[in-house]
């Protein structure tokens, strides 16, 4: 495990003191094992999905163009080996979370059903806060079945209480709904009238090949998705962790939202890309 960037913390903020802006290259098992228990508010992971595929592409920016971006999602021991791999790391994430902290696990149809059972065992069935559907609208077309156009994000809380800011992620009501609404004469119109609580189906388009934020990393997620999740579930002074960070989307979103963060990936090329993206924020 290699620490790529040292904490930029002056020690004034004890909540952030251990984890402010750390980037590690290596197996997250090693990072998590040596992390301070109860120190992170929000963990998002987008681990391998058990697709049984190998992903390979190249960076798009000048500084990363010649860099092969690679990650392997093939498992000799099948789903048993995959689940063992993930369970060992999720156990450690559970202990790294603060008592009110949350873990978000992003997967698709391949293995999410097994992982949900595993998370129930680690967090307790009462720990499930949301099963979010990310409806990305593109790809997944088939003539043999309904087109597969969503991923699932399982949200688990470590304790009985967790942070959720409904206001910051409230959705504007449709013009039709606003037109239909009947408010008493002279009533002051507040955000509760014009906006509604967000649904558990999040319709944010996947990154198109020409999107400015596209780095060339094969499974890069949109910043808008991570910004929404962090705003909703991570307190403003909170610490964000992503231990399978790939191109660093979660850390870029955390930085843009003023949260401290810890990131890790086993691939040196992914970490180089992450550092370059963070420098540009
Ligand atoms: C689906 S990608 C993450 C994509 C990322 N969310 C993004 O927006 O770019 C999964 C990542 O997990 C990394 N990975 C796989 N095994 C790992 C391990 N044991 N420790 C840390 N990272 C690992 C891979 O190198 C890959 O970059």
């Amino acid at each position: 495990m290699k620490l790529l960037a040292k904490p930029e913390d002056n020690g004034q903020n004890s909540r952030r003191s251990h984890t402010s802006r750390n980037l590690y290259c290596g197996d997250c098992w090693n990072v998590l094992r040596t992390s301070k228990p109860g120190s992170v508010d929000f963990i998002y992971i987008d681990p391998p999905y058990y697709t049984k595929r190998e992903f390979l592409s190249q960076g798009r920016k000048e500084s990363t163009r010649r860099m092969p971006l690679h990650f392997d999602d093939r498992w000799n021991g099948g789903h048993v080996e995959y689940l063992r791999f993930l369970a060992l790391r999720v156990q450690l994430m559970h202990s790294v979370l603060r008592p009110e902290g949350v873990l978000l696990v992003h997967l698709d149809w391949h293995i999410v059903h097994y992982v949900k059972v595993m998370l129930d065992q680690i967090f307790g069935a009462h720990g499930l806060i949301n099963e979010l559907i990310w409806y990305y609208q593109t790809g997944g077309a088939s003539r043999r079945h309904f087109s597969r156009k969503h991923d699932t994000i399982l949200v688990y809380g470590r304790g009985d209480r967790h942070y959720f800011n409904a206001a910051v992620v409230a959705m504007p009501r449709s013009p039709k709904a606003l037109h239909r609404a009947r408010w008493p004469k002279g009533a002051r119109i507040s955000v509760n009238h014009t906006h509604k609580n967000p649904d558990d189906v999040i319709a944010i388009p996947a990154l198109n090949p020409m999107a400015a934020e596209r780095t060339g990393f094969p499974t890069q997620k949109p910043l808008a998705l991570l910004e929404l999740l962090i705003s909703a579930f991570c307190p403003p002074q909170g610490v964000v962790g992503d231990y399978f960070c790939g191109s660093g989307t979660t850390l870029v979103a955390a930085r843009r939202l003023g949260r401290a963060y810890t990131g890790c990936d086993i691939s040196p090329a992914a970490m180089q890309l992450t550092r370059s993206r963070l420098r540009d924020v």
Side-chain angles (χ1 to χ4, degrees):
M1 165 180 83
K2 194 170 162 200
L3 176 61
L4 296 175
K6 289 212 184 303
E8 295 166 22
D9 195 283
N10 57 13
Q12 283 171 350
N13 188 339
S14 61
R15 183 170 194 156
R16 292 180 169 194
S17 61
H18 184 71
T19 38
S20 248
R21 300 183 179 179
N22 288 323
L23 295 181
Y24 298 93
C25 187
D27 186 337
C28 61
W29 184 75
N30 285 315
V31 175
L32 289 159
R33 222 163 39 93
T34 51
S35 295
K36 188 174 168 196
S39 59
V40 180
D41 298 85
F42 170 103
I43 299 179
Y44 165 90
I45 56 165
D46 179 28
Y49 284 18
Y50 194 63
T51 56
K52 304 177 198 159
R53 282 173 53 197
E54 194 182 14
F55 295 86
L56 187 64
S57 63
Q58 280 198 318
R60 278 183 59 172
K61 276 178 43 178
E62 198 50 57
S63 56
T64 57
R65 193 155 292 153
R66 254 171 278 134
M67 190 191 287
L69 299 169
H70 164 258
F71 92 87
D72 202 350
D73 192 10
R74 295 170 300 178
W75 304 84
N76 288 333
H79 72 279
V80 174
E81 183 196 339
Y82 172 91
L83 291 171
R84 196 178 125 75
F85 162 87
L86 196 61
L88 282 172
R89 288 155 183 82
V90 168
Q91 288 270 14
L92 294 171
M93 289 176 205
H94 178 267
S95 59
V96 163
L97 280 176
R98 293 171 70 82
E100 306 84 27
V102 291
L103 169 69
L104 284 76
V105 181
H106 187 148
L107 291 166
D108 71 6
W109 59 273
H110 287 93
I111 198 85
V112 68
H113 46 306
Y114 282 97
V115 174
K116 191 173 177 193
V117 174
M118 182 190 97
L119 289 166
D120 277 355
Q121 283 165 355
I122 296 174
F123 283 78
H126 60 277
L128 180 68
I129 298 170
N130 267 138
E131 181 172 324
L132 299 175
I133 300 301
W134 174 37
Y135 171 51
Y136 41 72
Q137 299 155 24
T138 47
S142 170
R143 285 184 175 278
R144 293 193 301 125
H145 50 72
F146 286 95
S147 302
R148 293 180 176 137
K149 290 185 187 290
H150 81 271
D151 287 356
T152 303
I153 304 173
L154 301 170
V155 185
Y156 277 79
R158 181 168 178 185
D160 296 336
R161 286 150 48 95
H162 63 271
Y163 175 89
F164 183 66
N165 190 340
V168 81
V169 288
M171 291 158 45
R173 290 185 195 278
S174 67
K176 209 165 151 190
L178 286 175
H179 186 72
R180 269 202 318 259
R182 292 182 197 285
W183 295 309
K185 251 200 170 145
R188 268 184 65 190
I189 307 300
S190 75
V191 73
N192 293 335
H193 296 100
T194 57
H195 287 65
K196 59 177 181 167
N197 281 345
D199 296 339
D200 57 3
V201 177
I202 302 172
I204 289 178
L207 289 182
N208 75 61
M210 301 313 289
E213 70 183 83
R214 210 178 232 304
T215 62
F217 193 83
T219 54
Q220 183 186 344
K221 301 299 178 297
L223 268 172
L225 176 65
L226 270 301
E227 287 185 351
L228 180 81
L229 298 174
I230 293 173
S231 304
F233 284 116
C234 181
Q237 297 300 313
V239 177
V240 168
D242 185 345
Y243 302 93
F244 292 87
C245 74
S247 66
T249 311
T250 311
L251 314 178
V252 172
R255 188 161 185 151
R256 282 161 57 122
L257 295 169
R259 268 60 164 194
Y261 54 81
T262 292
C264 167
D265 201 285
I266 203 164
S267 150
M271 288 318 298
Q272 197 177 326
L273 183 57
T274 294
R275 287 173 74 192
S276 125
R277 279 183 91 187
L278 285 167
R279 265 199 303 269
D280 292 346
V281 175

